[in-house]
Amino acid sequence: MEGSTVDEHYKIAKLALETGKVKQVLWGLDYFSLKLATAEEEEDFPDYLYDGKLWTDYKYWFNSSVYKQFFRSIKSTLSGQTKQDLETLYNWNDKVVFGKQYVAESYFKACDKEIDYGTNEESLDQVKVYFNTYIRSLIEEYPDVQFYFYYPPYSVMRQVAWYSSNPVRFNNQLVMRQWMFEQFEQYPNVKLYDFQTTSEWTFNLDLYKDLSHHNGEVNTWIAEAIGEDSSEYRVTSSNIEAFNTLLEEQAESAVIDSNGNVYRSSVQVNGEPLAFTTRLVQGNEELWLPAKEIGTALNASIDWDAATKTVSLTSGGNNVTMTIGNTEALVNGQTLAMDTAPLLAGGKVLVPVAFVAEHLGWNVSVEREGDWLRYLLNS
């Protein structure tokens, strides 16, 4: 069920398990799916079909869409059309377009739209209650059924967007990833697999239609890895912390350009590694960072004029002034051209880190190796 939440997962799984025919359950799960549906979303779920009461099913029998679908099925059968292949049920491959450019568009929208999402996160204690109510209860009720849970491979830019715009959710995710494993570890009929750090998938944005949804081929890879009980993805007590550390490192370092190409970046100021929120690669593989954050790291004072959309950074007698959308910067009173203009993303002004640092009097060294961009700034 597209976009379903854990309470809906529970109702669907329990209905199937009660038949006594189910021997294995494959269940994609993570922190996000443990959040319950909103009141509006709950109205769309047909609870009356899951309550075991025939007399409440009138909402189904007197629903015109049921009969429209029935007659469409008869028509397609009589006309010799190919029947729905259950192997591709809800597979989007023929209905949507996948590609890194679409992921890039989704990422830049997320930077602006998700800036306040962290203010309404449910507490971890409440999320753990949902886990116990809707997942643990089924594991314990059906000890002869083998449960295969897996953490789904969102694109790395989904993780970056959470890390930058919604750190509460990102940190909650890390806590729950480990906590859920510790619960699963108590049951012999449960195995857990982690695909969220699989960089050959998550960094290949051509596999996605947006930040989160991958194509059907990835489903095949997931099923094959679980079928083989691959040690590369199977979560154990000896690797769960490594999985979490790697996910955090990827979210800290991954950066995208406007075409959807993914790089990895790091910034050191006087030998100290720094983590930044919103970031972007523009121009000639140049890393752009929030003006306020890079200014603070370089001990520069920062002034922002909202009316003219101009940002000014000053340090040690040097001044760099830039305007949103303008490729000309004013450096100590002299006009200099930049490859790309500053921009607003996620409510933050992004500026070229090497350009700013150099003209504020810092020694700048940029190392490019493969998809890595390393910036060394020394006073």
Side-chain angles (χ1 to χ4, degrees):
M1 179 173 288
E2 298 174 8
S4 53
T5 50
V6 70
D7 50 333
E8 297 167 342
H9 293 179
Y10 170 82
K11 293 168 187 174
I12 297 168
K14 187 168 179 61
L15 185 69
L17 287 164
E18 285 175 344
T19 66
K21 298 178 181 180
V22 175
K23 304 303 178 187
Q24 299 180 90
V25 174
L26 180 60
W27 196 330
L29 180 69
D30 62 2
Y31 164 76
F32 179 75
S33 63
L34 286 172
K35 295 168 66 63
L36 298 190
T38 63
E40 182 179 354
E41 291 168 339
E42 286 180 350
E43 293 179 0
D44 294 332
F45 188 85
D47 272 301
Y48 52 88
L49 292 178
Y50 294 83
D51 61 10
K53 302 173 183 176
L54 291 176
W55 58 88
T56 63
D57 294 350
Y58 71 89
K59 295 179 181 179
Y60 175 82
W61 294 114
F62 294 97
N63 189 319
S64 62
S65 66
V66 173
Y67 298 98
K68 290 178 182 177
Q69 180 63 45
F70 175 64
F71 288 117
R72 278 198 296 267
S73 298
I74 292 177
K75 181 180 178 181
S76 63
T77 299
L78 294 176
S79 62
Q81 294 182 22
T82 304
K83 294 182 179 180
Q84 170 68 56
D85 179 5
L86 293 181
E87 287 296 322
T88 57
L89 187 64
Y90 297 125
N91 186 308
W92 296 337
N93 277 21
D94 297 328
K95 299 178 181 178
V96 302
V97 180
F98 298 87
K100 59 186 179 182
Q101 65 271 34
Y102 305 109
V103 182
E105 292 174 9
S106 296
Y107 173 70
F108 295 127
K109 289 179 181 177
C111 286
D112 292 325
K113 290 184 178 180
E114 297 186 9
I115 191 169
D116 296 321
Y117 275 19
T119 60
N120 62 355
E121 292 296 315
E122 294 162 298
S123 70
L124 284 175
D125 287 340
Q126 186 59 64
V127 174
K128 291 175 182 179
V129 169
Y130 298 154
F131 176 93
N132 290 330
T133 302
Y134 298 115
I135 297 175
R136 188 194 296 271
S137 61
L138 289 179
I139 296 171
E140 294 180 346
E141 187 175 354
Y142 297 94
D144 296 329
V145 174
Q146 179 66 52
F147 288 84
Y148 299 96
F149 291 96
Y150 72 91
Y151 297 151
Y154 297 133
S155 78
V156 70
M157 299 314 298
R158 171 73 279 173
Q159 302 293 347
V160 171
W162 279 337
Y163 179 84
S164 302
S165 304
N166 194 349
V168 174
R169 174 170 292 184
F170 184 82
N171 289 327
N172 283 357
Q173 173 189 215
L174 293 180
V175 172
M176 286 303 298
R177 280 162 50 89
Q178 178 147 355
W179 184 85
M180 285 191 290
F181 164 71
E182 291 169 355
Q183 312 317 302
F184 289 143
E185 194 178 23
Q186 302 172 29
Y187 300 97
N189 60 326
V190 177
K191 292 182 179 180
L192 175 64
Y193 301 84
D194 189 347
F195 300 101
Q196 292 185 332
T197 58
T198 308
S199 58
E200 60 265 34
W201 304 354
T202 61
F203 279 69
N204 181 2
L205 302 189
D206 282 328
L207 297 174
Y208 296 82
K209 77 180 187 70
D210 52 32
L211 288 178
S212 303
H213 299 95
H214 54 71
N215 65 21
E217 190 175 14
V218 179
N219 282 334
T220 299
W221 299 339
I222 290 171
E224 289 175 345
I226 292 175
E228 296 169 357
D229 194 20
S230 172
S231 59
E232 182 178 356
Y233 308 106
R234 174 78 180 277
V235 182
T236 67
S237 57
S238 62
N239 64 20
I240 178 61
E241 290 187 10
F243 273 126
N244 267 8
T245 299
L246 180 57
L247 184 62
E248 189 166 18
E249 289 175 351
Q250 290 177 350
E252 287 178 350
S253 65
V255 61
I256 195 174
D257 66 17
S258 57
N259 295 318
N261 299 306
V262 180
Y263 302 80
R264 304 190 199 206
S265 64
S266 67
V267 179
Q268 289 188 13
V269 177
N270 286 332
E272 292 294 324
L274 297 180
F276 295 89
T277 57
T278 307
R279 50 194 183 272
L280 177 67
V281 169
Q282 288 201 105
N284 186 25
E285 295 188 346
E286 175 74 22
L287 182 64
W288 291 59
L289 299 172
K292 183 176 181 180
E293 295 177 26
I294 191 62
T296 300
L298 300 180
N299 298 317
S301 62
I302 307 149
D303 292 309
W304 165 248
D305 188 329
T308 61
K309 295 184 177 180
T310 298
V311 62
S312 181
L313 296 94
T314 304
S315 177
N318 296 303
N319 174 267
V320 178
T321 300
M322 293 165 285
T323 302
I324 301 299
N326 191 338
T327 57
E328 291 185 341
L330 195 63
V331 178
N332 296 329
Q334 180 182 0
T335 300
L336 297 180
M338 298 183 293
D339 291 335
T340 313
L343 76 161
L344 283 169
K348 300 172 183 177
V349 181
L350 299 190
V351 298
V353 56
F355 181 91
V356 169
E358 182 179 351
H359 289 97
L360 288 180
W362 288 69
N363 295 316
V364 179
S365 174
V366 181
E367 299 176 355
R368 292 178 170 85
E369 181 181 353
D371 62 351
W372 270 97
L373 304 174
R374 295 183 174 90
Y375 287 73
L376 309 177
L377 314 180
N378 293 284
S379 57

